[in-house]
Amino acid sequence: MLIIASFDYCFHTELAVSELIQNGINKDQILAVPLEVRGEPRQKLDTIHHSDGVSMLDGGALLGTFTMILGAIYGFILEWGPIIWGLIGLVGGFIIGCLLDYFCGGKRQSKDRQKQNMGQLIIIIECKTEQGEIVEKVLWGHHAFGVASVQ
């Protein structure tokens, strides 16, 4: 029986392997394969076919809404009226918010990249069918992303 699990490359992986060895699995039955980390930088803007979950439009939408409300409120006092000043606030706030996300949001993405650069590890364990349940419990107990077994 083969049991396959994926982990972040961290101390939980080493703890899982040492606990498996304590439970009677030989070192020869354990194969750990580190996955290569992509070296190229991530894209700043998303496309239709690829999104990394980090939106560059959130800040623009938030600041655009805020400045639109302020423009509409103070537009009653100003010469062009609340509709024009609301639209000016919307466009201006959206542009400023997107620029802030583009230039200042890079710090947040660089932390995500550092976390991603640690890589992942695939562990393949060859064991008897009777040991399969124990091995799966150990792997799940040490924060495995996923566990699969093959007869």
Side-chain angles (χ1 to χ4, degrees), residues 99-117:
L99 290 174
L100 285 174
D101 259 356
Y102 185 78
F103 291 113
C104 298
K107 294 176 185 175
R108 181 180 63 209
Q109 287 181 351
S110 66
K111 288 181 184 177
D112 292 342
R113 276 192 212 117
Q114 287 173 356
K115 187 176 179 182
Q116 186 184 26
N117 283 343

Side-chain angles (χ1 to χ4, degrees), residues 12-143:
H12 290 290
T13 310
E14 295 177 21
L15 291 174
V17 170
S18 64
E19 190 172 335
L20 288 172
I21 292 172
Q22 289 175 356
N23 284 330
I25 305 294
N26 292 331
K27 290 180 182 180
D28 298 338
Q29 295 173 295
I30 300 172
L31 174 66
V33 181
L35 299 177
E36 287 188 31
V37 178
R38 187 177 212 171
E40 64 188 49
R42 296 169 77 180
Q43 294 179 344
K44 282 276 194 182
L45 298 174
D46 293 338
T47 64
I48 289 177
H49 304 290
H50 181 331
S51 174
D52 60 359
V54 179
S55 175
M56 299 297 291
L57 301 177
D58 289 345
L62 183 67
L63 197 60
T65 304
F66 180 72
T67 54
M68 177 187 65
I69 292 170
L70 289 177
I73 290 170
Y74 291 111
F76 284 105
I77 301 170
L78 298 173
E79 186 176 332
W80 290 345
I83 295 176
I84 299 297
W85 282 108
L87 291 173
I88 290 171
L90 175 66
V91 172
F94 182 78
I95 291 171
I96 292 170
C98 286
L99 290 174
L100 285 174
D101 259 356
Y102 185 78
F103 291 113
C104 298
K107 294 176 185 175
R108 181 180 63 209
Q109 287 181 351
S110 66
K111 288 181 184 177
D112 292 342
R113 276 192 212 117
Q114 287 173 356
K115 187 176 179 182
Q116 186 184 26
N117 283 343
M118 290 176 60
Q120 289 186 349
L121 189 68
I122 303 295
I123 295 182
I124 303 172
I125 300 152
E126 183 181 3
C127 64
K128 297 177 184 172
T129 308
E130 305 85 41
Q131 295 174 316
E133 188 176 329
I134 296 169
V135 170
E136 285 185 15
K137 269 187 193 175
V138 169
L139 296 173
W140 282 120
H142 288 284
H143 309 291

